[in-house]
Amino acid sequence: MPQRIRTGTEAGKKGYNTGLTHRLRRARLRTLRSRWFSSRLSRIRPYPLPMSELWSVCLSRLEHELPQQQVDTWLRVLSTDADADDAQRLRLVAPNRRILNWVKKSYLPRIQELVATHGGEQMQVELSVRAPVRKAKAPAAAPGEHAPAALAAANQEEADLLSSPALQDERRYARTRLSTASSFENYVTGRANDLARAAAMQVAANPGTAYNPLFIYAGVGLGKTHLAQAIGNEVFRSNPGKAVRYIHANDYWHEMVNAYQKNSFDNFQRDYRALDLLIIDDIHFFDRKERTQDAFFDIFNALTEAKKQIIITCDTYPKDIKGLEPRLISRFDWGLTVQIEPPELEMRIAILKKKAALSGIDLDHDVAFLIAKHLRSNVRELEGALNRCSVYANFHNSPITLEVAREALKDLLHAHNRQLTVENIQKVVADYYAIKVADMHSKSRSRQVARPRQLAMWLAKELTPLSLPAIGEAFGGRDHTTVLHAHKTITRLRKEDEQLNHAIHVLTQTLHS
């Protein structure tokens, strides 16, 4: 008599666990997962973003991929067409033909990829130039009014509009190529940049006489471009009649090459010599460009002799720049050279909070501490991490908690992760409570030091495989009974002290990241 195949329920009741039952269960589980995933996809696509918000998301991604000066010069000036009603097409409007051609040549493929990712594969990108102001048509002449008089009135109205001080200032500011986002007000100051900021403010108050040239050098993403442009914005705000210009060294080179090709090099030189403030960003891009250096040398001499201000940024100290002529480097020493160093922990937290406030992001101090503790290289990396947390939280309709931040930044945190040691624990706890690491080894019994030290011992016992004597040795040669007492004390207090329990949660999340 053939053996009857038991069902999953029967097999479970009688203790059977056949291979057939396992395969049926796995197949059923795969089917359910597939249906669930398909239903989720159908609910999240297409991505329901308004065109202006879609462009903001794409621009935020581009800010993480490109140098800030390129984003400010070529991409941030683009706007969405508010009158467009095509739901399958993102219409971007450039202020002039030059910017449109450069965006189309250099950035359009990547913009199209991002739009397809965030707006749907059917979305297309269309570029256009902002329509110029057209002459007003003459209104129909009223009874008894002559047509020439009506036309004259319309032309006078348009002339008054075009000659208004506000419009003139707006046009002059557009020629500066500065970013409105760069100001002293939103520039976070700390020990790493206080000297550079003080010098910048002096130059902004007394252009051409304080420090000329002002040479600012720093690593990538530490804020040298922001500070240089803040000077330009402050000078223009104080005197809109000043001829101010910001330009990246690579763009300067392109302009000079175009001037040679069009036989207009004299006009090019004359244009730059007429400036009141010239900001050259990343001058190390002049490396081995002899003719560019010659042209800039002449402009440099003309501006300094006329008491016009020059500001230069670079990624290294002037004498360490490779490929620059010695006569040019020597002139950089005429003024003041200042350095911006990587920000310390407190400054990184302040930067994150400032960026969050400007972007309308609700950022808890503990989340800022988690990000700042692990991302230390530059400000741009911090801003990118903040934006990633914001996008991740918005997508999951959740506030930015420690758990959300860890999940959103898991790849970044993993890249910065180190082997967990007692030294790591001591450093993180000391930073959290704003005490010195040396206090962890001291004999001080003040509550301000003793409680963080006990907490560090507790974390060392919980998170490392070290023995009690080894932990005690790492804390200034203390006895193992001291470590055991600290562990019992913290275990008892965390049940009663909500603030202490919160600190343990934050520190554990930070150390595990």
Side-chain angles (χ1 to χ4, degrees):
M1 181 176 181
Q3 184 178 359
R4 181 169 63 89
I5 299 177
R6 294 177 174 87
T7 64
T9 304
E10 292 173 341
K13 289 179 179 179
K14 295 180 179 297
Y16 292 93
N17 194 12
T18 64
L20 176 60
T21 303
H22 274 300
R23 286 194 295 273
L24 289 173
R25 286 176 175 171
R26 285 197 295 269
R28 177 61 176 165
L29 185 58
R30 283 195 299 270
T31 301
L32 291 174
R33 285 175 175 170
S34 177
R35 290 177 181 173
W36 178 87
F37 188 72
S38 298
S39 66
R40 293 287 291 177
L41 283 179
S42 64
R43 276 185 284 174
I44 65 173
R45 295 182 180 178
Y47 197 79
L49 281 178
M51 292 303 173
S52 59
E53 190 173 342
L54 174 60
W55 172 235
S56 297
V57 172
C58 296
L59 187 60
S60 177
R61 288 290 303 274
L62 290 167
E63 286 179 333
H64 304 154
E65 302 173 5
L66 299 172
Q68 189 64 40
Q69 64 271 10
Q70 292 186 25
V71 175
D72 292 337
T73 303
W74 303 109
L75 299 175
R76 199 179 294 280
V77 294
L78 302 178
S79 60
T80 55
D81 186 355
D83 297 330
D85 56 358
D86 189 348
Q88 305 300 322
R89 193 177 300 274
L90 174 64
R91 300 179 187 273
L92 297 177
V93 181
N96 54 56
R97 178 68 58 181
R98 174 173 170 267
I99 289 179
L100 179 139
N101 291 337
W102 187 261
V103 170
K104 185 179 295 185
K105 174 184 175 182
S106 305
Y107 307 112
L108 184 57
R110 181 54 181 154
I111 293 175
Q112 181 63 65
E113 290 178 6
L114 292 174
V115 168
T117 300
H118 297 284
E121 296 180 357
Q122 76 284 357
M123 288 292 295
Q124 296 296 319
V125 179
E126 180 179 297
L127 293 173
S128 61
V129 178
R130 184 175 296 125
V133 178
R134 300 182 182 276
K135 289 188 176 182
K137 292 183 179 180
E145 182 181 7
H146 295 291
L151 179 61
N155 289 340
Q156 183 60 45
E157 183 180 353
E158 181 186 359
D160 292 341
L161 176 63
L162 294 177
S163 61
S164 65
L167 185 59
Q168 294 297 325
D169 288 349
E170 183 178 343
R171 287 178 172 177
R172 278 193 291 266
Y173 184 79
R175 289 195 290 270
T176 67
R177 307 177 191 177
L178 294 168
S179 168
T180 55
S182 299
S183 67
F184 289 120
E185 287 74 18
N186 57 25
Y187 188 76
V188 179
T189 307
R191 290 196 303 269
N193 61 6
D194 53 358
L195 176 61
R197 187 180 192 274
M201 296 187 71
Q202 282 289 326
V203 170
N206 305 285
T209 59
Y211 308 110
N212 199 18
L214 176 63
F215 192 101
I216 306 172
Y217 73 99
V220 175
L222 293 181
K224 57 184 182 293
T225 299
H226 184 136
L227 190 59
Q229 291 206 21
I231 300 173
N233 278 315
E234 183 63 23
V235 170
F236 185 87
R237 185 190 65 80
S238 301
N239 189 348
K242 292 280 188 182
V244 178
R245 181 171 301 171
Y246 162 85
I247 189 167
H248 189 269
N250 204 37
D251 293 332
Y252 176 90
W253 175 74
H254 280 293
E255 285 190 8
M256 195 196 74
V257 171
N258 288 335
Y260 272 118
Q261 292 174 345
K262 297 177 181 179
N263 295 321
S264 59
F265 180 73
D266 290 341
N267 292 336
F268 169 81
Q269 290 287 86
R270 189 160 44 247
D271 182 39
Y272 274 90
R273 289 183 181 186
L275 296 175
D276 296 300
L277 169 59
L278 173 61
I279 304 172
I280 292 282
D281 199 8
D282 288 339
I283 200 168
H284 48 274
F285 276 84
F286 283 177
D287 178 20
R288 292 188 295 275
K289 295 182 175 71
E290 288 80 9
R291 297 185 70 176
T292 304
Q293 293 181 38
D294 289 340
F296 180 70
F297 181 79
D298 293 338
I299 292 172
F300 185 99
N301 288 336
L303 291 179
T304 51
E305 288 173 6
K307 304 297 183 182
K308 308 299 184 182
Q309 183 68 47
I310 299 175
I311 301 170
I312 301 168
T313 75
C314 187
D315 64 355
T316 187
Y317 189 71
K319 288 183 170 57
D320 295 332
I321 304 175
K322 297 180 181 179
L324 244 60
E325 295 180 4
R327 62 173 181 166
L328 200 54
I329 293 177
S330 67
R331 277 161 172 74
F332 297 159
D333 292 332
W334 287 1
L336 177 67
T337 299
V338 291
Q339 180 186 13
I340 300 176
E341 299 178 351
E344 67 276 10
L345 176 65
E346 294 80 4
M347 185 175 170
R348 295 197 299 273
I349 294 175
I351 290 171
L352 283 167
K353 289 186 172 181
K354 186 73 172 182
K355 297 287 186 183
L358 291 173
S359 302
I361 300 173
D362 186 13
L363 184 69
D364 188 71
H365 176 83
D366 298 331
V367 177
F369 177 82
L370 171 71
I371 298 173
K373 186 64 185 174
H374 289 88
L375 306 181
R376 310 177 182 188
S377 59
N378 59 63
V379 177
R380 197 170 298 154
E381 188 178 42
L382 292 173
E383 188 172 4
L386 175 63
N387 290 336
R388 182 183 291 197
C389 288
S390 177
V391 171
Y392 187 91
N394 288 338
F395 185 79
H396 290 84
N397 196 25
S398 167
I400 305 178
T401 62
L402 280 171
E403 290 75 13
V404 167
R406 283 190 62 197
E407 184 63 26
L409 305 175
K410 58 185 177 183
D411 53 340
L412 289 176
L413 299 180
H414 177 73
H416 290 263
N417 193 20
R418 298 169 298 175
Q419 183 66 33
L420 187 59
T421 63
V422 175
E423 289 75 18
N424 298 153
I425 295 173
Q426 291 173 340
K427 182 68 169 63
V428 171
V429 174
D431 286 340
Y432 186 81
Y433 284 100
I435 63 175
K436 298 178 181 179
V437 176
D439 292 331
M440 295 288 175
H441 311 93
S442 70
K443 303 298 182 183
S444 173
R445 294 187 178 182
S446 67
R447 185 179 181 84
Q448 183 182 1
V449 173
R451 187 69 76 221
R453 186 167 55 218
Q454 287 181 326
L455 178 53
M457 291 180 183
W458 186 91
L459 290 168
K461 184 178 184 302
E462 292 290 322
L463 303 180
T464 70
L466 296 178
S467 63
L468 295 179
I471 295 174
E473 185 64 29
F475 283 84
R478 285 176 163 78
D479 190 75
H480 74 280
T481 56
T482 303
V483 180
L484 185 60
H485 172 72
H487 188 271
K488 290 181 177 179
T489 301
I490 296 298
T491 301
R492 173 178 52 82
L493 289 177
R494 69 175 301 191
K495 298 177 182 178
E496 309 166 357
D497 189 339
E498 184 177 346
Q499 187 174 0
L500 175 63
N501 195 49
H502 176 72
I504 292 174
H505 176 66
V506 173
L507 291 169
T508 304
Q509 293 279 351
T510 304
L511 290 165
H512 275 159
S513 299

